[in-house]
């Protein structure tokens, strides 16, 4: 035993065990988050309960937990005699939806307060644009002419397909016509303002301005009338449903996104519906104060921010590391700079956010507005938080990581490689560009991986320099210059914070927190795996360099 202890084998086993436990813990956490999030999109059945008072409840069983009898006694809850002898009682959290009819989405009842649990047929879950889901039994469908359709399901299927076409046309008109005309009107206004500032406002321009302004305004009114007409077509088609209290409710086709009957779906139907809902979560925009809908703008903003940050931080970090290691002498100043770079890696991220707000936004951005966008003032263009300043702030935040990783990679390259290149007549720059940097590229990519891993999950600094709860437009569109760095954007990390703590219906939105968290982890892992793949290819490509 003593020889075994002296050999160091126990420490090897302890180290391997610690690594295994850590990996299993991380994998377990990711799987738990994924299960909690992705199971939300599974079509849960609708149950029917009857209360002690004879009322009918219809909804989905959201959660079930055990409550000690002692707690119920303290709350002075009247308990039946057969329940008094038990130590625990189950409490049911039932999602009844229909929030415009009831005071809350959820009802909490003790298990002995309800009985006769059934799964009623012909009850549907109706996904709506506003007011969340609706649980009801369809009893009538009226088309645009007021005619009552006999086959409700067939009529709803045709109506939803028609609504999808109409919504696509509305989106096209808004994107291709209304936004284009609005941009032309804004450019006319800015040109007039620019001429006023330069004292070049003449009669010829005013005549042309009034003519173009009138033309574009008429075009805008015409397109808006087309959009209103399309929306009116959807408003004329109505689905009449009965809720659990027997009340008739009319829901216009404009407000219906989807409808399904969970109690009559087969397993394959449920899998198909689950895939459809996951795709909508990834591709749609959020609704209802971010508590419903998708997360595409947040996912797009996160990936775009990381890409722009990487483009900015990599050249700066690599150039700084090359200068410190290859060109700067080992003086007191360079040693202080290295210590400062290492210490900057430990500065709290919110401090970088305050720096970005003060320097990039209020100083640099305001100066850009005064020089290049004077006609837009007092409305700021770059003098307000936006995508560019967020990327620069994260670049400053992750710059120490790239510098340290690159300098460590340069240190591992043997001096004999540099000397051999110089002896063959190459200049120092040629040696650096053709020999040293290719050999150090795996270490450079490692720095990028670490930078991406930290930057993708940062939220605190972004709250000061660009991220918002809901962005009306993506930073990328079909209008010149196509990539709008001055715009605000959405971010998955901030979206998680907003849905989890700021939404008005936290209980209903909680599953979206898990789903968005799992998506953020997936995005970070995907970005890191891409960088790791590039690093491994470079390492294999330059493996023979420097070997004797």
């Amino acid at each position: 035993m003593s020889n075994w202890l002296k050999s160091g084998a126990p420490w090897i086993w302890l180290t391997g065990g610690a690594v295994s436990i850590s990996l299993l813990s991380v994998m377990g956490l990711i799987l738990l988050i994924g299960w909690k999030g992705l199971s939300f999109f599974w079509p849960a059945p609708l149950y029917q309960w009857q209360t002690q008072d004879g009322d009918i409840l219809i909804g989905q069983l959201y959660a079930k937990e055990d409550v000690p009898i002692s707690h119920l006694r303290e709350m002075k809850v009247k308990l039946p005699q057969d329940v008094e002898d038990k130590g625990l009682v189950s409490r049911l959290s039932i999602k009844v939806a229909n929030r415009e009819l009831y005071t809350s989405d959820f009802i909490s009842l003790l298990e002995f307060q309800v009985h006769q649990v059934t799964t009623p047929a012909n009850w549907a879950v109706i996904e709506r644009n506003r007011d969340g889901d609706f649980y009801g039994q369809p009893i009538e469908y009226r088309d645009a002419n007021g005619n009552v359709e006999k086959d409700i399901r067939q009529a709803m299927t045709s109506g939803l397909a028609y609504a999808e076409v109409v919504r696509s046309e509305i989106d096209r008109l808004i994107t291709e016509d209304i936004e284009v005309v609005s941009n032309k009107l804004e450019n006319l206004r800015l040109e007039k303002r620019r001429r006023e500032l330069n004292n070049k406002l003449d009669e010829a321009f005013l005549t042309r301005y009034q003519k173009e302004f009138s033309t574009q305004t008429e075009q805008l009114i015409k397109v808006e009338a087309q959009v209103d007409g399309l929306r009116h077509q959807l408003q004329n088609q109505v689905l009449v449903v009965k809720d659990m209290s027997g009340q008739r409710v009319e829901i216009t086709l404009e407000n219906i996104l989807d409808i399904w009957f969970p109690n009559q779906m087969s397993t394959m139907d449920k899998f198909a519906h689950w895939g459809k809902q996951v795709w909508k979560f990834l591709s749609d925009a959020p609704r209802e104060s971010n508590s419903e809908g998708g997360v595409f703008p947040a996912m797009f903003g996160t990936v775009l921010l990381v890409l722009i940050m990487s483009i900015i931080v990599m050249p700066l970090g690599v150039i700084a590391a090359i200068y410190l290691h290859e060109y700067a002498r080992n003086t007191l100043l360079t040693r202080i700079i290295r210590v400062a770079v290492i210490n900057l890696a430990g500065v709290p991220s919110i401090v970088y956010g305050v720096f970005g707000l003060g320097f990039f936004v209020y100083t640099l951005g305001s100066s850009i507005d005064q020089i290049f966008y004077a006609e837009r003032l007092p409305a700021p263009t770059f003098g307000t938080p936006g995508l560019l300043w967020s990327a620069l702030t994260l670049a400053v935040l992750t710059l120490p990581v790239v510098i340290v990783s690159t300098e460590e990679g340069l240190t591992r390259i043997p001096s004999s490689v540099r000397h051999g290149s110089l002896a063959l007549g190459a200049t120092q720059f040629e040696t650096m560009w053709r020999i040293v940097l290719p050999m150090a590229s795996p270490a450079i990519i490692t720095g990028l991986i670490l930078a991406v891993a930290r930057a993708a999950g940062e939220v605190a600094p972004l709250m000061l320099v660009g991220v918002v709860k809901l962005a009306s437009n993506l930073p990328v569109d079909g209008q010149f210059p196509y990539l709008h760095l001055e715009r605000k954007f959405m971010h998955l990390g901030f979206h998680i914070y907003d849905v989890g703590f700021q939404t008005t219906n936290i209980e209903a939105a909680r599953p979206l927190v898990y789903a968005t968290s799992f998506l953020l982890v997936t995005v970070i892992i995907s970005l890191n795996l891409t960088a790791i793949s590039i690093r491994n290819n470079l390492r294999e490509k330059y493996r023979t360099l420097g070997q004797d």
Side-chain angles (χ1 to χ4, degrees):
M1 177 63 69
S2 60
N3 293 332
W4 183 66
L5 291 174
K6 292 179 181 179
S7 65
W11 310 116
I12 298 175
W13 282 100
L14 286 174
T15 303
V19 172
S20 301
I21 293 174
S22 300
L23 291 176
L24 290 175
S25 300
V26 172
M27 291 296 297
L29 178 62
I30 294 176
L31 290 176
L32 176 63
I33 295 174
W35 171 259
K36 288 278 190 178
L38 297 179
S39 61
F40 169 70
F41 304 107
W42 186 262
L46 288 175
Y47 294 102
Q48 176 177 312
W49 295 270
Q50 186 173 354
T51 66
Q52 294 175 336
D53 300 330
D55 296 331
I56 300 297
L57 288 179
I58 294 182
Q60 295 176 343
L61 182 59
Y62 186 76
K64 184 177 181 180
E65 60 178 350
D66 294 328
V67 181
I69 292 291
S70 57
H71 291 182
L72 299 178
R73 292 196 185 101
E74 292 176 359
M75 298 170 61
K76 298 181 180 180
V77 176
K78 186 177 180 180
L79 301 174
Q81 186 61 39
D82 57 338
V83 177
E84 287 279 359
D85 301 332
K86 298 180 180 180
L88 298 173
V89 176
S90 296
R91 179 165 57 193
L92 309 179
S93 179
I94 302 172
K95 183 178 180 181
V96 295
N98 306 10
R99 64 181 61 160
E100 76 275 20
L101 302 179
Y102 313 132
T103 57
S104 176
D105 273 7
F106 296 88
I107 294 178
S108 182
L109 293 173
L110 298 174
E111 193 172 29
F112 64 82
Q113 295 176 334
V114 294
H115 55 89
Q116 295 183 2
V117 182
T118 60
T119 53
N122 298 323
W123 278 76
V125 177
I126 304 172
E127 183 182 3
R128 299 183 292 179
N129 260 324
R130 300 177 301 275
D131 299 325
D133 293 341
F134 191 96
Y135 301 158
Q137 184 178 13
I139 57 177
E140 185 179 295
Y141 185 85
R142 296 197 300 267
D143 60 15
N145 298 321
N147 300 322
V148 178
E149 299 288 344
K150 296 181 179 179
D151 191 343
I152 298 178
R153 295 198 182 186
Q154 180 62 35
M156 275 303 306
T157 302
S158 302
L160 288 175
Y162 172 73
E164 187 68 25
V165 174
V166 172
R167 290 192 185 101
S168 299
E169 180 64 15
I170 291 174
D171 292 339
R172 187 193 66 80
L173 289 174
I174 293 175
T175 303
E176 298 182 5
D177 293 339
I178 292 181
E179 290 186 0
V180 171
V181 174
S182 298
N183 287 331
K184 290 181 178 179
L185 289 173
E186 179 65 12
N187 292 333
L188 279 174
R189 186 190 69 83
L190 294 176
E191 186 178 358
K192 180 181 178 182
R193 173 65 175 164
R194 192 181 303 113
R195 287 175 174 268
E196 288 177 353
L197 294 176
N198 298 327
N199 295 321
K200 295 182 179 179
L201 194 62
D202 51 18
E203 287 296 329
F205 172 78
L206 289 175
T207 303
R208 180 172 63 87
Y209 171 82
Q210 291 295 339
K211 182 179 179 180
E212 291 186 10
F213 183 83
S214 300
T215 302
Q216 297 300 330
T217 302
E218 292 176 0
Q219 179 67 19
L220 182 61
I221 294 174
K222 181 180 178 180
V223 177
E224 288 178 344
Q226 293 179 8
V227 172
D228 292 338
L230 292 173
R231 288 173 176 167
H232 188 67
Q233 293 178 18
L234 297 181
Q235 293 172 355
N236 288 338
Q237 301 190 44
V238 178
L239 175 67
V240 182
V241 295
K242 181 177 67 174
D243 76 333
M244 62 185 183
S245 63
Q247 181 179 355
R248 289 168 58 96
V249 180
E250 294 186 354
I251 307 175
T252 62
L253 186 60
E254 180 193 23
N255 197 25
I256 300 177
L257 296 177
D258 199 1
I259 182 172
W260 62 92
F261 298 81
N263 296 342
Q264 299 179 359
M265 297 175 70
S266 65
T267 303
M268 292 302 298
D269 293 335
K270 291 182 178 181
F271 272 108
H273 177 82
W274 178 84
K276 179 181 177 181
Q277 292 297 107
V278 171
W279 173 250
K280 288 168 65 175
F281 173 72
L282 296 176
S283 59
D284 288 354
R287 308 187 308 270
E288 295 288 316
S289 187
N290 290 347
S291 62
E292 295 180 7
V295 293
F296 176 75
M299 181 174 62
F300 185 87
T302 302
V303 175
L304 182 61
L305 174 68
V306 171
L307 292 177
I308 296 175
M309 181 275 300
S310 302
I311 293 173
I312 295 172
V313 75
M314 286 304 294
L316 294 176
V318 172
I319 291 173
I322 290 174
Y323 175 77
L324 288 174
H325 189 271
E326 300 293 333
Y327 293 95
R329 297 180 180 179
N330 188 19
T331 62
L332 177 62
L333 178 61
T334 56
R335 289 196 293 270
I336 292 175
I337 292 174
R338 284 193 175 91
V339 173
V341 168
I342 295 172
N343 289 334
L344 282 175
V347 174
S349 59
I350 190 65
V351 176
Y352 286 100
V354 174
F355 168 78
L357 181 65
F359 178 72
F360 291 133
V361 178
Y362 291 153
T363 303
L364 191 58
S366 298
S367 300
I368 293 175
D369 284 349
Q370 293 174 4
I371 297 173
F372 298 104
Y373 300 96
E375 68 277 5
R376 296 177 181 266
L377 295 174
T381 302
F382 282 94
T384 185
L387 178 61
L388 176 61
W389 307 135
S390 298
L392 284 172
T393 301
L394 290 185
V396 174
L397 186 149
T398 57
L399 186 60
V401 176
V402 178
I403 293 176
V404 172
S405 178
T406 303
E407 196 168 2
E408 289 180 355
L410 294 173
T411 303
R412 289 196 296 267
I413 299 175
S415 299
S416 58
V417 175
R418 298 178 177 85
H419 295 162
S421 176
L422 295 173
L424 293 174
T427 63
Q428 187 175 8
F429 175 79
E430 290 174 336
T431 300
M432 181 61 57
W433 182 256
R434 296 180 179 275
I435 304 298
V436 176
L437 278 182
M439 293 179 64
S441 57
I444 296 173
I445 301 299
T446 300
L448 175 62
I449 295 171
L450 297 174
V452 168
R454 182 177 183 187
E458 286 291 348
V459 177
L462 299 180
M463 295 170 67
L464 299 176
V465 291
V467 72
V468 291
K469 176 186 179 73
L470 184 63
S472 57
N473 294 308
L474 292 176
V476 176
D477 58 21
Q479 303 296 324
F480 183 83
Y482 310 116
L483 176 60
H484 302 274
L485 298 176
E486 77 282 359
R487 287 184 183 174
K488 295 177 175 60
F489 65 100
M490 297 181 66
H491 188 274
L492 286 174
F494 183 77
H495 188 80
I496 294 170
Y497 163 76
D498 179 71
V499 174
F501 299 98
Q502 300 297 316
T503 186
T504 56
N505 197 350
I506 295 177
E507 189 67 25
R510 193 195 330 174
L512 288 180
V513 176
Y514 289 106
T516 310
S517 301
F518 182 69
L519 177 61
L520 177 59
V521 173
T522 304
V523 169
I524 295 174
I525 291 176
S526 300
L527 292 172
N528 286 340
L529 288 178
T530 302
I532 290 172
S533 177
I534 296 173
R535 181 188 63 182
N536 291 340
N537 290 334
L538 292 174
R539 183 177 293 167
E540 192 67 29
K541 181 178 180 180
Y542 299 111
R543 181 180 297 276
T544 58
L545 286 178
Q547 296 181 356
D548 295 335

